[in-house]
Amino acid sequence: MTVAVTGASGQLGRLVVEALLKDGSQPVVAVVRDPAKVADLAARGVEVRVASYDDPEALERAFQGVDRVLLVSGNEFTKRVAQHTNVLRAAERAGVKLLAYTSIPQAGRNPLILAQEHIGTEAALAGASIPTVLLRNGWYWENYTGGLAHAIETGVLYGAAGEGKVSGAARADYAEAAARVLTTDGHEGKVYELGGDETLSYAELAQVISEVAGKPVRYQD
Ligand SMILES: NC(=O)c1ccc[n+]([C@@H]2O[C@H](COP(=O)([O-])OP(=O)(O)OC[C@H]3O[C@@H](n4cnc5c(N)ncnc54)[C@H](OP(=O)(O)O)[C@@H]3O)[C@@H](O)[C@H]2O)c1
């Protein structure tokens, strides 16, 4: 059985490939726009195939002989439903047996603007002629790391979430879940709401940063 990961040059996709290599039970295909970005993975035995989400023919070629595909949601806002639908149709034409998609939590009733393209993609997947599985990934803890240095330097962590709590997880954890779904059976039609064991508000996050940095950091809503 061969497994393909799209967006393998990205932060999550790369970690999924790493998890699949660690599992080692099947050949891995990395589908990317720019093969130079994954030269290190190619050197480790990953087959690299080139296809953009905008190129239906290249996608169909990339999925030849592939049994299971992970579609990592793209990052080109407003284009994504059409792009993801291209990936789905190419997977159907190539005879892929399972397509997994990285969606957003509670997509059906998620009020975030960010959710809209995931809802559109999930609707396309609902009409697929091949089995699909939804990996509704929660917030990455890494989303906070870009602002850490500033928070530590100034002693203030800015946010706009009130007392809201997030059950985030590291990208590597979501990647491991995806790899598990790709390498084990029984996931057709399933919807997985994925997140971490712990919930953190911004105030609690500021407390964690204070402890690790060894200096006070407070949350400013
Ligand atoms: N859960 C969260 O907190 C959270 C946060 C941010 C984003 N997301 C979503 O999760 C996805 C994965 O996260 P990430 O951190 O791995 O993002 P990332 O590092 O930006 O990776 C995005 C990947 O998608 C690929 N891609 C984008 N447009 C494409 C296209 N038209 N054709 C082919 N490949 C395309 C990129 O390829 P290139 O390397 O060629 O650009 C890259 O490999 C994001 O794209 C976004 O949809 C989730």
Side-chain angles (χ1 to χ4, degrees):
M1 191 180 74
T2 298
V3 172
V5 178
T6 74
S9 54
Q11 299 165 95
L12 177 69
R14 173 174 278 280
L15 290 168
V16 176
V17 171
E18 292 287 351
L20 290 168
L21 288 174
K22 195 171 160 200
D23 172 79
S25 63
Q26 36 247 317
V28 183
V29 172
V31 180
V32 296
R33 292 189 284 197
D34 179 359
K37 288 188 178 175
V38 291
D40 59 317
L41 297 177
R44 291 164 62 200
V46 173
E47 184 184 344
V48 177
R49 298 185 185 174
V50 176
S52 161
Y53 294 166
D54 296 309
D55 188 339
E57 288 78 25
L59 287 165
E60 188 177 345
R61 280 195 301 276
F63 295 150
Q64 290 305 313
V66 169
D67 300 285
R68 294 177 179 175
V69 171
L70 173 66
L71 164 55
V72 172
S73 51
N75 52 16
E76 297 174 325
F77 299 103
T78 75
K79 292 185 179 177
R80 295 187 295 171
V81 177
Q83 291 176 331
H84 298 161
T85 303
N86 284 341
V87 175
L88 166 62
R89 297 286 167 250
E92 289 174 328
R93 289 194 301 277
V96 167
K97 297 180 189 73
L98 181 73
L99 179 71
Y101 171 68
T102 62
S103 190
I104 199 165
Q106 307 283 334
R109 57 187 178 87
N110 190 320
L112 292 176
I113 290 172
L114 273 176
Q116 289 172 4
E117 289 178 284
H118 292 292
I119 293 168
T121 302
E122 288 199 8
L125 292 170
S129 64
I130 56 173
T132 61
V133 50
L134 300 177
L135 307 176
R136 289 180 171 168
N137 287 347
W139 198 235
Y140 303 151
W141 283 144
E142 287 92 337
N143 293 335
Y144 298 117
T145 50
L148 277 184
H150 182 263
I152 293 166
E153 191 185 320
T154 61
V156 184
L157 176 70
Y158 291 96
E163 300 299 311
K165 287 186 170 244
V166 168
S167 57
R171 275 193 189 86
D173 293 329
Y174 296 111
E176 202 165 315
R180 191 73 63 88
V181 162
L182 291 168
T183 55
T184 58
D185 295 330
H187 305 289
E188 293 82 357
K190 294 275 175 64
V191 179
Y192 294 111
E193 300 282 346
L194 299 169
D197 300 326
E198 288 181 78
T199 58
L200 282 182
S201 65
Y202 262 104
E204 290 164 336
L205 180 64
Q207 182 61 34
V208 172
I209 297 169
S210 299
E211 284 165 21
V212 174
K215 57 181 283 200
V217 176
R218 68 175 176 84
Y219 170 47
Q220 174 64 55
D221 190 31

